[in-house]
Amino acid sequence: MNPQLFLAFVIVAITLACTPGLDWAYSISAGLRQRSFVPAIAGLCSGYVLHTALMVLGLAALLAGVPGLLGWLTVAGAGYLLWLGISTIRSWRGARFSAGDGVGQSHNQLRTFLVGMGTSGINPKGLLFFLALVPQFVSPEAALPVPVQSGLLGLTFVALAALIYTGVALGSRKLLHSRPGAARVVTLASGVVMVGLGVVLLVEQLIPLAGKLA
């Protein structure tokens, strides 16, 4: 693998992972609402592992080429974001951190993991990110086969995202667990971000549909 291309990819990946968005909103929410935010971060990263696997197997390009499929995935993702955002908004008044919260509730940790995995895994823009970005940093002349290079780059992004999202969740907990008022505001803002992104995704799909029907 070309070291210069790899370094350039790392810089781009860090920049993208450091950009506030849905993953940040979920990481912050988990940091405030969950006894352990590890299942949430693991879930988010598992979604990107899924995208990496699809890319390496060539299924991502196949899915992207199916007419209308990404549109329906986007609608499903938008609905999921709306549900997740509304659930977060409804819980904002009780947002706080307590060391005893969630003790013995392994089913809640599993649910948190699955929600995190769905948050990143069902997002078609995440799939397109891997399709559009990763190939730009693959060198056909390198000793490693292209699928192996693609897989390594994808897993590199996953590792960087895990570190950054852990920092986001830990930072929100350290800064806000003793400030219940601020924690409620941040939780509410996280929910609003999720709902807003869901609405944007829906509008992106409904406008072309309305144009076809007009």
Side-chain angles (χ1 to χ4, degrees):
M1 185 179 296
N2 188 312
Q4 293 180 334
L5 284 177
F6 180 74
L7 179 59
F9 176 81
V10 169
I11 294 173
V12 172
I14 291 175
T15 301
L16 291 174
C18 286
T19 302
L22 177 60
D23 291 350
W24 271 50
Y26 188 66
S27 299
I28 291 172
S29 176
L32 293 175
R33 299 168 60 196
Q34 304 292 332
R35 178 174 178 267
S36 173
F37 53 76
V38 173
I41 305 303
L44 287 172
C45 293
S46 295
Y48 289 121
V49 170
L50 174 62
H51 288 313
T52 300
L54 291 175
M55 175 185 62
V56 170
L57 295 173
L59 297 177
L62 181 63
L63 292 175
V66 177
L69 179 59
L70 283 180
W72 285 110
L73 285 176
T74 301
V75 171
Y80 180 79
L81 288 180
L82 289 173
W83 169 78
L84 186 60
I86 291 172
S87 298
T88 302
I89 291 173
R90 291 177 61 185
S91 67
W92 76 278
R93 291 185 181 277
R96 62 186 179 86
F97 169 71
S98 173
D101 288 347
V103 175
Q105 298 182 4
S106 59
H107 62 285
N108 284 342
Q109 293 187 349
L110 177 60
R111 179 180 181 275
T112 299
F113 172 84
L114 293 176
V115 170
M117 186 175 184
T119 299
S120 57
I122 202 173
N123 185 359
K125 291 190 175 182
L127 183 64
L128 292 176
F129 158 77
F130 279 92
L131 274 177
L133 182 65
V134 172
Q136 307 301 320
F137 299 91
V138 170
S139 175
E141 294 80 18
L144 293 176
V146 169
V148 175
Q149 293 183 63
S150 300
L152 289 175
L153 291 175
L155 293 178
T156 297
F157 176 82
V158 172
L160 292 171
L163 290 174
I164 292 169
Y165 296 160
T166 296
V168 170
L170 186 60
S172 66
R173 172 170 295 186
K174 292 291 186 181
L175 292 174
L176 300 174
H177 82 275
S178 60
R179 304 173 184 175
R184 295 187 187 103
V185 171
V186 171
T187 300
L188 178 61
S190 298
V192 170
V193 168
M194 296 176 191
V195 171
L197 289 174
V199 171
V200 169
L201 289 175
L202 275 180
V203 170
E204 286 180 348
Q205 297 304 311
L206 292 178
I207 289 179
L209 179 60
K212 292 179 180 179
L213 296 177

